[in-house]
Amino acid sequence: SAVISQKPSRDICQRGTSLTIQCQVDSQVTMMFWYRQQPGQSLTLIATANQGSEATYESGFVIDKFPISRPNLTFSTLTVSNMSPEDSSIYLCSAQGEDQPQHFGDGTRLSIL
Amino acid sequence: AQRVTQPEKLLSVFKGAPVELKCNYSYSGSPELFWYVQYSRQRLQLLLRHISRESIKGFTADLNKGETSFHLKKPFAQEEDSAMYYCALIQGAQKLVFGQGTRLTINP
């Protein structure tokens, strides 16, 4: 299965700033996704990162707040913009190859002061 | 809308006892279901998927379409099974919908 590396693993940020999270996969994959896990909650899909085109966002998530890039088949970034304390969460990247289940990165634990 | 329900947030059993983690789903089509597990300080990892019909670490899960369930079972719990378990289903375009998770604790 694909090995997924995420960085940073954690960060503490000031409100109003933005942070970009990187996700690197060690092999070409067809699908990449970004999830959020708020404290004490389950995982919620933010968006599907589409290679070479705009991401597909789920209800409640918008591009201005969570811009996503996927320039190639092995790399994606998620930016959390204009952060507020409500954005304190774990952000996870996942990847899926052809006829394969999704595998996850270690996540990025984000705290906003 | 597709939904996955794990009714137990916490489950505690003794070592050697049988374990059953419940999962119910609502889905209009033909579902594809998974169990993911997260051990302490480790990443979320796939435990098993219903189409594989295999046993991983002694765990099995059978899809029951009549009861819309996909319960995870193990006949004899081990201490290393203590973890957070998530049931999930695939909806359109390979998007995973997760249940709320069950924290399983195996007591010695």
Side-chain angles (χ1 to χ4, degrees), chain B residues 2 5 11 14 23 40-41 48 57 59 66 81 85 88 94-96 104-105 108:
Chain B
Q2 290 80 1
T5 303
L11 182 63
F14 285 101
C23 173
S40 179
R41 301 184 187 281
L48 53 80
K57 299 184 179 183
F59 284 97
D81 295 328
Y85 290 80
Q94 299 300 309
K95 296 184 286 189
L96 280 171
L104 175 65
T105 301

Side-chain angles (χ1 to χ4, degrees), chain B residues 51-96:
Chain B
I51 61 173
S52 299
R53 302 185 65 81
E54 57 191 345
S55 174
I56 304 293
K57 299 184 179 183
F59 284 97
T60 58
D62 291 319
L63 179 62
N64 185 322
K65 292 186 178 180
E67 296 182 357
T68 60
S69 69
F70 187 57
H71 303 328
L72 184 68
K73 300 177 183 179
K74 184 170 183 176
F76 308 103
Q78 299 172 290
E79 288 186 64
E80 54 265 35
D81 295 328
S82 294
M84 194 75 179
Y85 290 80
Y86 293 96
C87 183
L89 68 75
I90 287 274
Q91 64 177 30
Q94 299 300 309
K95 296 184 286 189
L96 280 171

